[in-house]
Amino acid sequence: MASLREPWVLENGNLKGLGKENRHGKTAHNMSSSSLRKKSDLTLISKVRCGMLRQLLANLQEVILGTKLSVLFPAIPLAIVAHTYGFARPWVFALSLVGLTPLAERVSFLTEQIAYYTGPTVGGLLNATCGNATELIIAILALSQCKIEVVKYSLLGSVLSNLLLVLGTSLFCGGIANLRVQQKFDRRQADVNSLLLLLALLCHSLPLMFRMSGASDAVTANPTLQLSRASSIVMLIAYLAYLIFQLFTHRQLFEAQEGSEDDDNVEEEPVIGLWSGLIWLVGMTAVISFLSEYIVQTIEDASNSWGISVSFISIILLPIVGNAAEHAGAIVFAFKNKLDISLGVALGSATQISMFVVPLCVVVAWIMGIEMDLNFNLLQTGSLALSIIVVAFTLQDGASHYLKGLVLLLFYIVIGACFFVSKTPLNPRLTWFDVWDTKI
């Protein structure tokens, strides 16, 4: 009987070697999520006689129960039941939000498993696409309902939470846990991400300044939209260049942290097969889509019921809960004095959202006939600008201590308080079909 620890033998028929060159698909995102995983005990499952049933049970054990967040999985069927039977919409929102937490961590796990078989390049591209799948799905579903403000708020919140909350907590906790040790990190990766974030900030600032140049909105609306679309194309080209830089020409800058992780990971082999991983990834993405649709549909009802503005829910609550697994992993590695991984998670996620998810949403909205621009208004753009600048200053010397993390956390608290008291209403609700009807 083949070992359940070698599912690639069962599914592919031959043993696939896992030399070091085949393990480069593991990124900082995968490493951060790995801190929340549990080693599965397959003793009982190995006694099942039927091969297909044994393989299915092993996959369920690894995918569903192989994480410390498995206790949150019941929120998923509860959210579906609450939506189906017409429970209070704030409950649907809350349960859906909690259910997204383990799903986001499992998507990271599955992309890592697939990367074992596809090699470093395809694995890296898969991680670049699925790394922020939750944010992208929520944004596209919100766009389909013409909730452009929700799209902008949620994406801005993801960037701010990564730059200030995740990075700040990592630096603070790492500094407290390593008071007698000087914490250092590789500046080169941080410099690359900071440059891309500054480019994203430029593309956000120009439409805002164009709108505030003094002319009326009727005169500047269309040029601002055209400028945003052109800037989005430039950002996507820059992100493509970043992927080439990361995966081909300067791969060593982004793989430096892998060597420091070898002493923690005893097991460097996949626990599920390639086709199983692909099927599970498609299924998890489908469930994320269902829960994301529930969130988009009920966010305004939750806002009215709880007395909290939509901007605060989208900018603060959504990113904190939706990416809790990834954030917790970054903090764990900071405790272990492995700041390169923590920075890779925080800055990598912020860069991916700013340079890929945001411009992609503008392009998708363009295709759908929806007028979404890069003008995030003065308050949002100012918060983004100050956050990027303070992070760039924080990381400029390649060393860290707890005071830097504390300042970033205080930054985030002040910005959160600002959006908590902000009561900006959403535009009147339209649907994608309404937009097409008006164009016709």
Side-chain angles (χ1 to χ4, degrees):
M1 182 177 66
S3 171
L4 287 173
R5 281 295 175 191
E6 298 176 347
W8 58 92
V9 177
L10 296 175
E11 292 194 5
N12 296 347
N14 58 347
L15 180 64
K16 178 166 183 172
L18 293 173
K20 189 176 189 304
E21 66 277 5
N22 286 327
R23 299 200 302 266
H24 292 312
K26 178 175 276 193
T27 64
H29 292 78
N30 301 126
M31 290 181 180
S32 69
S33 296
S34 66
S35 63
L36 295 173
R37 294 172 193 163
K38 298 187 299 184
K39 187 174 182 180
S40 300
D41 184 5
L42 303 177
T43 304
L44 292 177
I45 296 177
S46 63
K47 298 179 180 180
V48 177
R49 295 182 179 275
C50 178
M52 293 184 62
L53 179 59
R54 183 175 63 250
Q55 187 66 44
L56 176 61
L57 293 176
N59 284 338
L60 286 173
Q61 175 78 15
E62 296 289 355
V63 177
I64 303 300
L65 300 179
T67 173
K68 298 175 183 177
L69 300 174
S70 58
V71 294
L72 299 180
F73 273 114
I76 299 173
L78 289 176
I80 297 175
V81 170
H83 179 268
T84 303
Y85 290 95
F87 286 19
R89 293 171 73 83
W91 278 105
V92 178
F93 176 84
L95 290 171
S96 301
L97 195 57
V98 173
L100 284 178
T101 302
L103 289 175
E105 189 274 333
R106 290 289 84 185
V107 167
S108 175
F109 163 75
L110 291 170
T111 55
E112 177 187 340
Q113 294 297 305
I114 295 172
Y116 280 110
Y117 301 99
T118 59
T121 302
V122 177
L125 290 173
L126 184 63
N127 181 77
T129 305
C130 300
N132 294 98
T134 304
E135 291 90 343
L136 182 58
I137 292 172
I138 290 177
I140 292 178
L141 289 173
L143 275 179
S144 67
Q145 301 183 29
C146 288
K147 295 183 178 181
I148 299 177
E149 289 85 356
V150 173
V151 176
K152 293 181 177 180
Y153 288 155
S154 62
L155 296 180
L156 173 68
S158 295
V159 176
L160 294 180
S161 68
N162 278 289
L163 290 180
L164 300 178
L165 179 63
V166 181
L167 185 57
T169 307
S170 298
L171 297 183
F172 179 75
C173 294
I176 294 295
N178 300 274
L179 280 174
R180 301 181 183 276
V181 179
Q182 186 178 16
Q183 291 192 293
K184 290 185 174 293
F185 53 86
D186 190 348
R187 278 186 51 195
R188 296 174 297 175
Q189 183 179 352
D191 289 343
V192 171
N193 286 292
S194 297
L195 283 174
L196 290 173
L197 288 171
L198 287 172
L199 174 60
L201 176 60
L202 174 68
C203 294
H204 285 290
S205 301
L206 290 180
L208 173 64
M209 292 187 287
F210 195 81
R211 262 285 176 85
M212 299 179 64
S213 60
S216 64
D217 288 346
V219 175
T220 60
N222 188 65
T224 300
L225 181 63
Q226 300 303 324
L227 174 61
S228 298
R229 290 171 175 173
S231 299
S232 297
I233 295 175
V234 171
M235 294 165 73
L236 290 174
I237 294 174
Y239 185 73
L240 177 61
Y242 170 66
L243 289 181
I244 296 174
F245 183 87
Q246 181 182 19
L247 299 176
F248 296 98
T249 62
H250 290 71
R251 180 186 295 173
Q252 68 278 2
L253 298 184
F254 301 87
E255 293 176 349
Q257 64 267 32
E258 185 177 0
S260 65
E261 185 62 11
D262 287 340
D263 55 351
D264 288 342
N265 277 349
V266 177
E267 182 179 338
E268 285 289 344
E269 61 185 32
V271 294
I272 62 174
L274 173 61
W275 289 108
S276 294
L278 291 172
I279 293 172
W280 276 106
L281 182 61
V282 172
M284 291 284 184
T285 305
V287 177
I288 290 176
S289 300
F290 278 113
L291 297 184
S292 299
E293 185 173 4
Y294 295 165
I295 287 175
V296 172
Q297 291 175 353
T298 58
I299 187 171
E300 293 176 61
D301 299 289
S303 172
N304 296 330
S305 176
W306 298 342
I308 304 175
S309 64
V310 173
S311 60
F312 182 82
I313 292 177
S314 302
I315 294 175
I316 305 299
L317 294 185
L318 269 180
I320 290 177
V321 179
N323 293 318
E326 185 178 272
H327 296 174
I331 297 168
V332 168
F333 280 105
F335 270 110
K336 298 179 180 180
N337 198 19
K338 297 178 179 179
L339 286 184
D340 284 328
I341 299 177
S342 299
L343 264 65
V345 173
L347 296 180
S349 251
T351 302
Q352 187 176 54
I353 295 169
S354 299
M355 298 298 296
F356 175 66
V357 180
V358 172
L360 181 62
C361 287
V362 174
V363 173
V364 170
W366 186 6
I367 295 173
M368 296 170 65
I370 298 172
E371 297 181 352
M372 176 182 172
D373 57 27
L374 292 176
N375 178 15
F376 278 33
N377 295 328
L378 183 59
L379 179 60
Q380 288 87 346
T381 305
S383 301
L384 177 64
L386 292 173
S387 301
I388 293 175
I389 292 171
V390 73
V391 168
F393 272 105
T394 301
L395 303 178
Q396 65 178 342
D397 60 350
S400 175
H401 46 73
Y402 71 89
L403 185 58
K404 289 185 176 182
L406 179 61
V407 171
L408 293 182
L409 285 175
L410 295 177
F411 240 84
Y412 189 73
I413 291 173
V414 173
I415 291 176
C418 177
F419 287 111
F420 182 80
V421 300
S422 175
K423 302 292 183 181
T424 305
L426 295 179
N427 288 337
R429 182 180 299 180
L430 296 173
T431 64
W432 184 19
F433 300 103
D434 294 330
V435 174
W436 278 106
D437 288 340
T438 57
K439 289 182 176 294
I440 293 176

